PDB file of all heavy atoms in Angstrom:
ATOM      1  N   ASP A   1    -161.694 -31.556-122.381  1.00  0.00           N
ATOM      2  CA  ASP A   1    -160.373 -31.023-122.049  1.00  0.00           C
ATOM      3  C   ASP A   1    -160.368 -30.244-120.730  1.00  0.00           C
ATOM      4  O   ASP A   1    -159.354 -29.657-120.353  1.00  0.00           O
ATOM      5  CB  ASP A   1    -159.803 -30.170-123.181  1.00  0.00           C
ATOM      6  CG  ASP A   1    -160.650 -28.970-123.543  1.00  0.00           C
ATOM      7  OD1 ASP A   1    -161.707 -28.765-122.899  1.00  0.00           O
ATOM      8  OD2 ASP A   1    -160.269 -28.222-124.454  1.00  0.00           O
ATOM      9  N   ASN A   2    -161.486 -30.274-119.989  1.00  0.00           N
ATOM     10  CA  ASN A   2    -161.503 -29.749-118.614  1.00  0.00           C
ATOM     11  C   ASN A   2    -160.953 -30.768-117.616  1.00  0.00           C
ATOM     12  O   ASN A   2    -160.735 -30.434-116.446  1.00  0.00           O
ATOM     13  CB  ASN A   2    -162.919 -29.375-118.180  1.00  0.00           C
ATOM     14  CG  ASN A   2    -163.515 -28.203-118.941  1.00  0.00           C
ATOM     15  OD1 ASN A   2    -164.734 -28.076-119.021  1.00  0.00           O
ATOM     16  ND2 ASN A   2    -162.681 -27.343-119.519  1.00  0.00           N
ATOM     17  N   ILE A   3    -160.738 -32.008-118.070  1.00  0.00           N
ATOM     18  CA  ILE A   3    -160.211 -33.051-117.183  1.00  0.00           C
ATOM     19  C   ILE A   3    -158.825 -32.660-116.670  1.00  0.00           C
ATOM     20  O   ILE A   3    -157.957 -32.226-117.429  1.00  0.00           O
ATOM     21  CB  ILE A   3    -160.128 -34.409-117.915  1.00  0.00           C
ATOM     22  CG1 ILE A   3    -161.527 -34.986-118.142  1.00  0.00           C
ATOM     23  CG2 ILE A   3    -159.264 -35.401-117.147  1.00  0.00           C
ATOM     24  CD1 ILE A   3    -162.220 -35.484-116.886  1.00  0.00           C
ATOM     25  N   LEU A   4    -158.639 -32.824-115.355  1.00  0.00           N
ATOM     26  CA  LEU A   4    -157.333 -32.664-114.718  1.00  0.00           C
ATOM     27  C   LEU A   4    -156.932 -34.043-114.213  1.00  0.00           C
ATOM     28  O   LEU A   4    -157.517 -34.551-113.259  1.00  0.00           O
ATOM     29  CB  LEU A   4    -157.416 -31.662-113.561  1.00  0.00           C
ATOM     30  CG  LEU A   4    -156.088 -31.370-112.845  1.00  0.00           C
ATOM     31  CD1 LEU A   4    -155.179 -30.523-113.731  1.00  0.00           C
ATOM     32  CD2 LEU A   4    -156.349 -30.659-111.516  1.00  0.00           C
ATOM     33  N   PRO A   5    -155.938 -34.688-114.847  1.00  0.00           N
ATOM     34  CA  PRO A   5    -155.606 -36.068-114.483  1.00  0.00           C
ATOM     35  C   PRO A   5    -154.933 -36.173-113.125  1.00  0.00           C
ATOM     36  O   PRO A   5    -154.365 -35.206-112.604  1.00  0.00           O
ATOM     37  CB  PRO A   5    -154.659 -36.501-115.609  1.00  0.00           C
ATOM     38  CG  PRO A   5    -154.083 -35.235-116.136  1.00  0.00           C
ATOM     39  CD  PRO A   5    -155.137 -34.189-115.975  1.00  0.00           C
ATOM     40  N   ALA A   6    -155.022 -37.350-112.554  1.00  0.00           N
ATOM     41  CA  ALA A   6    -154.400 -37.626-111.260  1.00  0.00           C
ATOM     42  C   ALA A   6    -152.925 -37.270-111.298  1.00  0.00           C
ATOM     43  O   ALA A   6    -152.233 -37.502-112.293  1.00  0.00           O
ATOM     44  CB  ALA A   6    -154.579 -39.097-110.905  1.00  0.00           C
ATOM     45  N   GLY A   7    -152.437 -36.678-110.215  1.00  0.00           N
ATOM     46  CA  GLY A   7    -151.044 -36.280-110.130  1.00  0.00           C
ATOM     47  C   GLY A   7    -150.784 -34.864-110.582  1.00  0.00           C
ATOM     48  O   GLY A   7    -149.640 -34.390-110.508  1.00  0.00           O
ATOM     49  N   SER A   8    -151.830 -34.166-111.039  1.00  0.00           N
ATOM     50  CA  SER A   8    -151.681 -32.796-111.526  1.00  0.00           C
ATOM     51  C   SER A   8    -152.168 -31.794-110.480  1.00  0.00           C
ATOM     52  O   SER A   8    -153.059 -32.089-109.681  1.00  0.00           O
ATOM     53  CB  SER A   8    -152.480 -32.597-112.812  1.00  0.00           C
ATOM     54  OG  SER A   8    -152.080 -33.499-113.816  1.00  0.00           O
ATOM     55  N   ASP A   9    -151.587 -30.605-110.489  1.00  0.00           N
ATOM     56  CA  ASP A   9    -152.040 -29.517-109.629  1.00  0.00           C
ATOM     57  C   ASP A   9    -153.220 -28.795-110.269  1.00  0.00           C
ATOM     58  O   ASP A   9    -153.334 -28.740-111.498  1.00  0.00           O
ATOM     59  CB  ASP A   9    -150.909 -28.512-109.397  1.00  0.00           C
ATOM     60  CG  ASP A   9    -149.756 -29.085-108.590  1.00  0.00           C
ATOM     61  OD1 ASP A   9    -149.988 -30.046-107.827  1.00  0.00           O
ATOM     62  OD2 ASP A   9    -148.627 -28.584-108.747  1.00  0.00           O
ATOM     63  N   PHE A  10    -154.076 -28.228-109.427  1.00  0.00           N
ATOM     64  CA  PHE A  10    -155.212 -27.440-109.902  1.00  0.00           C
ATOM     65  C   PHE A  10    -154.838 -25.966-109.872  1.00  0.00           C
ATOM     66  O   PHE A  10    -154.610 -25.398-108.799  1.00  0.00           O
ATOM     67  CB  PHE A  10    -156.436 -27.690-109.022  1.00  0.00           C
ATOM     68  CG  PHE A  10    -157.594 -26.765-109.306  1.00  0.00           C
ATOM     69  CD1 PHE A  10    -158.364 -26.933-110.442  1.00  0.00           C
ATOM     70  CD2 PHE A  10    -157.902 -25.720-108.438  1.00  0.00           C
ATOM     71  CE1 PHE A  10    -159.430 -26.070-110.715  1.00  0.00           C
ATOM     72  CE2 PHE A  10    -158.962 -24.858-108.692  1.00  0.00           C
ATOM     73  CZ  PHE A  10    -159.725 -25.040-109.841  1.00  0.00           C
ATOM     74  N   PRO A  11    -154.763 -25.308-111.037  1.00  0.00           N
ATOM     75  CA  PRO A  11    -154.444 -23.876-111.061  1.00  0.00           C
ATOM     76  C   PRO A  11    -155.669 -23.050-110.696  1.00  0.00           C
ATOM     77  O   PRO A  11    -156.723 -23.180-111.320  1.00  0.00           O
ATOM     78  CB  PRO A  11    -154.028 -23.641-112.517  1.00  0.00           C
ATOM     79  CG  PRO A  11    -154.752 -24.689-113.296  1.00  0.00           C
ATOM     80  CD  PRO A  11    -154.895 -25.879-112.389  1.00  0.00           C
ATOM     81  N   TYR A  12    -155.538 -22.203-109.675  1.00  0.00           N
ATOM     82  CA  TYR A  12    -156.672 -21.376-109.262  1.00  0.00           C
ATOM     83  C   TYR A  12    -157.095 -20.520-110.458  1.00  0.00           C
ATOM     84  O   TYR A  12    -156.289 -19.802-111.035  1.00  0.00           O
ATOM     85  CB  TYR A  12    -156.300 -20.484-108.085  1.00  0.00           C
ATOM     86  CG  TYR A  12    -157.497 -19.945-107.340  1.00  0.00           C
ATOM     87  CD1 TYR A  12    -157.989 -20.607-106.227  1.00  0.00           C
ATOM     88  CD2 TYR A  12    -158.146 -18.789-107.772  1.00  0.00           C
ATOM     89  CE1 TYR A  12    -159.098 -20.122-105.533  1.00  0.00           C
ATOM     90  CE2 TYR A  12    -159.260 -18.307-107.098  1.00  0.00           C
ATOM     91  CZ  TYR A  12    -159.734 -18.974-105.986  1.00  0.00           C
ATOM     92  OH  TYR A  12    -160.838 -18.493-105.322  1.00  0.00           O
ATOM     93  N   PRO A  13    -158.371 -20.573-110.838  1.00  0.00           N
ATOM     94  CA  PRO A  13    -158.796 -19.956-112.103  1.00  0.00           C
ATOM     95  C   PRO A  13    -158.947 -18.442-112.025  1.00  0.00           C
ATOM     96  O   PRO A  13    -159.193 -17.869-110.958  1.00  0.00           O
ATOM     97  CB  PRO A  13    -160.141 -20.618-112.376  1.00  0.00           C
ATOM     98  CG  PRO A  13    -160.673 -20.917-111.014  1.00  0.00           C
ATOM     99  CD  PRO A  13    -159.472 -21.306-110.189  1.00  0.00           C
ATOM    100  N   ALA A  14    -158.851 -17.834-113.165  1.00  0.00           N
ATOM    101  CA  ALA A  14    -159.062 -16.397-113.278  1.00  0.00           C
ATOM    102  C   ALA A  14    -160.541 -16.059-113.136  1.00  0.00           C
ATOM    103  O   ALA A  14    -161.408 -16.922-113.254  1.00  0.00           O
ATOM    104  CB  ALA A  14    -158.534 -15.910-114.629  1.00  0.00           C
ATOM    105  N   ALA A  15    -160.806 -14.805-112.885  1.00  0.00           N
ATOM    106  CA  ALA A  15    -162.162 -14.233-112.895  1.00  0.00           C
ATOM    107  C   ALA A  15    -163.041 -14.719-111.753  1.00  0.00           C
ATOM    108  O   ALA A  15    -164.262 -14.577-111.807  1.00  0.00           O
ATOM    109  CB  ALA A  15    -162.859 -14.512-114.232  1.00  0.00           C
ATOM    110  N   SER A  16    -162.437 -15.310-110.711  1.00  0.00           N
ATOM    111  CA  SER A  16    -163.222 -15.796-109.588  1.00  0.00           C
ATOM    112  C   SER A  16    -162.491 -15.554-108.284  1.00  0.00           C
ATOM    113  O   SER A  16    -161.254 -15.640-108.219  1.00  0.00           O
ATOM    114  CB  SER A  16    -163.516 -17.289-109.738  1.00  0.00           C
ATOM    115  OG  SER A  16    -164.264 -17.774-108.633  1.00  0.00           O
ATOM    116  N   GLN A  17    -163.263 -15.289-107.238  1.00  0.00           N
ATOM    117  CA  GLN A  17    -162.726 -15.152-105.885  1.00  0.00           C
ATOM    118  C   GLN A  17    -163.333 -16.180-104.935  1.00  0.00           C
ATOM    119  O   GLN A  17    -163.110 -16.110-103.727  1.00  0.00           O
ATOM    120  CB  GLN A  17    -163.020 -13.738-105.351  1.00  0.00           C
ATOM    121  CG  GLN A  17    -162.474 -12.615-106.211  1.00  0.00           C
ATOM    122  CD  GLN A  17    -160.969 -12.636-106.301  1.00  0.00           C
ATOM    123  OE1 GLN A  17    -160.279 -12.881-105.311  1.00  0.00           O
ATOM    124  NE2 GLN A  17    -160.431 -12.394-107.496  1.00  0.00           N
ATOM    125  N   ASP A  18    -164.073 -17.141-105.491  1.00  0.00           N
ATOM    126  CA  ASP A  18    -164.794 -18.097-104.643  1.00  0.00           C
ATOM    127  C   ASP A  18    -164.907 -19.428-105.381  1.00  0.00           C
ATOM    128  O   ASP A  18    -165.936 -19.741-105.985  1.00  0.00           O
ATOM    129  CB  ASP A  18    -166.185 -17.542-104.299  1.00  0.00           C
ATOM    130  CG  ASP A  18    -166.899 -18.347-103.225  1.00  0.00           C
ATOM    131  OD1 ASP A  18    -166.217 -19.016-102.424  1.00  0.00           O
ATOM    132  OD2 ASP A  18    -168.143 -18.313-103.198  1.00  0.00           O
ATOM    133  N   VAL A  19    -163.836 -20.225-105.324  1.00  0.00           N
ATOM    134  CA  VAL A  19    -163.767 -21.497-106.053  1.00  0.00           C
ATOM    135  C   VAL A  19    -164.021 -22.645-105.078  1.00  0.00           C
ATOM    136  O   VAL A  19    -163.318 -22.775-104.071  1.00  0.00           O
ATOM    137  CB  VAL A  19    -162.407 -21.661-106.746  1.00  0.00           C
ATOM    138  CG1 VAL A  19    -162.333 -23.007-107.455  1.00  0.00           C
ATOM    139  CG2 VAL A  19    -162.196 -20.526-107.744  1.00  0.00           C
ATOM    140  N   HIS A  20    -165.028 -23.478-105.383  1.00  0.00           N
ATOM    141  CA  HIS A  20    -165.462 -24.538-104.485  1.00  0.00           C
ATOM    142  C   HIS A  20    -165.111 -25.929-105.021  1.00  0.00           C
ATOM    143  O   HIS A  20    -164.995 -26.136-106.228  1.00  0.00           O
ATOM    144  CB  HIS A  20    -166.979 -24.486-104.294  1.00  0.00           C
ATOM    145  CG  HIS A  20    -167.428 -23.391-103.377  1.00  0.00           C
ATOM    146  ND1 HIS A  20    -168.601 -23.456-102.660  1.00  0.00           N
ATOM    147  CD2 HIS A  20    -166.853 -22.204-103.044  1.00  0.00           C
ATOM    148  CE1 HIS A  20    -168.747 -22.353-101.932  1.00  0.00           C
ATOM    149  NE2 HIS A  20    -167.698 -21.579-102.166  1.00  0.00           N
ATOM    150  N   PHE A  21    -164.992 -26.864-104.099  1.00  0.00           N
ATOM    151  CA  PHE A  21    -164.810 -28.286-104.396  1.00  0.00           C
ATOM    152  C   PHE A  21    -166.137 -29.019-104.242  1.00  0.00           C
ATOM    153  O   PHE A  21    -166.987 -28.633-103.425  1.00  0.00           O
ATOM    154  CB  PHE A  21    -163.780 -28.903-103.447  1.00  0.00           C
ATOM    155  CG  PHE A  21    -164.085 -28.642-101.994  1.00  0.00           C
ATOM    156  CD1 PHE A  21    -165.035 -29.391-101.306  1.00  0.00           C
ATOM    157  CD2 PHE A  21    -163.444 -27.628-101.307  1.00  0.00           C
ATOM    158  CE1 PHE A  21    -165.338 -29.138 -99.980  1.00  0.00           C
ATOM    159  CE2 PHE A  21    -163.732 -27.362 -99.976  1.00  0.00           C
ATOM    160  CZ  PHE A  21    -164.692 -28.113 -99.309  1.00  0.00           C
ATOM    161  N   GLU A  22    -166.324 -30.101-105.019  1.00  0.00           N
ATOM    162  CA  GLU A  22    -167.471 -30.996-104.886  1.00  0.00           C
ATOM    163  C   GLU A  22    -166.996 -32.394-105.244  1.00  0.00           C
ATOM    164  O   GLU A  22    -166.789 -32.713-106.417  1.00  0.00           O
ATOM    165  CB  GLU A  22    -168.620 -30.572-105.805  1.00  0.00           C
ATOM    166  CG  GLU A  22    -169.158 -29.167-105.539  1.00  0.00           C
ATOM    167  CD  GLU A  22    -170.380 -28.830-106.382  1.00  0.00           C
ATOM    168  OE1 GLU A  22    -170.930 -29.748-107.029  1.00  0.00           O
ATOM    169  OE2 GLU A  22    -170.790 -27.659-106.394  1.00  0.00           O
ATOM    170  N   VAL A  23    -166.813 -33.274-104.259  1.00  0.00           N
ATOM    171  CA  VAL A  23    -166.344 -34.631-104.521  1.00  0.00           C
ATOM    172  C   VAL A  23    -167.471 -35.459-105.138  1.00  0.00           C
ATOM    173  O   VAL A  23    -168.634 -35.329-104.753  1.00  0.00           O
ATOM    174  CB  VAL A  23    -165.824 -35.294-103.227  1.00  0.00           C
ATOM    175  CG1 VAL A  23    -166.906 -35.391-102.163  1.00  0.00           C
ATOM    176  CG2 VAL A  23    -165.250 -36.676-103.530  1.00  0.00           C
ATOM    177  N   GLU A  24    -167.123 -36.306-106.109  1.00  0.00           N
ATOM    178  CA  GLU A  24    -168.140 -37.073-106.824  1.00  0.00           C
ATOM    179  C   GLU A  24    -167.619 -38.455-107.230  1.00  0.00           C
ATOM    180  O   GLU A  24    -166.433 -38.628-107.517  1.00  0.00           O
ATOM    181  CB  GLU A  24    -168.580 -36.329-108.096  1.00  0.00           C
ATOM    182  CG  GLU A  24    -168.814 -34.836-107.870  1.00  0.00           C
ATOM    183  CD  GLU A  24    -169.992 -34.276-108.624  1.00  0.00           C
ATOM    184  OE1 GLU A  24    -170.592 -35.014-109.421  1.00  0.00           O
ATOM    185  OE2 GLU A  24    -170.297 -33.089-108.407  1.00  0.00           O
ATOM    186  N   LEU A  25    -168.515 -39.429-107.267  1.00  0.00           N
ATOM    187  CA  LEU A  25    -168.249 -40.696-107.922  1.00  0.00           C
ATOM    188  C   LEU A  25    -168.379 -40.474-109.422  1.00  0.00           C
ATOM    189  O   LEU A  25    -169.396 -39.951-109.893  1.00  0.00           O
ATOM    190  CB  LEU A  25    -169.252 -41.762-107.472  1.00  0.00           C
ATOM    191  CG  LEU A  25    -169.189 -43.101-108.219  1.00  0.00           C
ATOM    192  CD1 LEU A  25    -167.917 -43.862-107.863  1.00  0.00           C
ATOM    193  CD2 LEU A  25    -170.434 -43.943-107.923  1.00  0.00           C
ATOM    194  N   VAL A  26    -167.356 -40.855-110.178  1.00  0.00           N
ATOM    195  CA  VAL A  26    -167.365 -40.704-111.632  1.00  0.00           C
ATOM    196  C   VAL A  26    -167.688 -42.056-112.269  1.00  0.00           C
ATOM    197  O   VAL A  26    -167.079 -43.076-111.914  1.00  0.00           O
ATOM    198  CB  VAL A  26    -166.014 -40.184-112.146  1.00  0.00           C
ATOM    199  CG1 VAL A  26    -166.013 -40.100-113.672  1.00  0.00           C
ATOM    200  CG2 VAL A  26    -165.710 -38.819-111.540  1.00  0.00           C
TER     201      VAL A  26
END
């Protein structure tokens, strides 16, 4: 349930000030 489907916005998460991206082949 951590999946964020295509077309959805990513809500900046609580408890963090440094959120990173990592592109991957699934």
Side-chain angles (χ1 to χ4, degrees):
D1 60 1
N2 293 156
I3 288 289
L4 182 72
S8 302
D9 293 335
F10 171 74
Y12 198 94
S16 179
Q17 303 297 319
D18 190 25
V19 178
H20 284 206
F21 52 80
E22 300 185 10
V23 60
E24 316 219 354
L25 173 70
V26 177

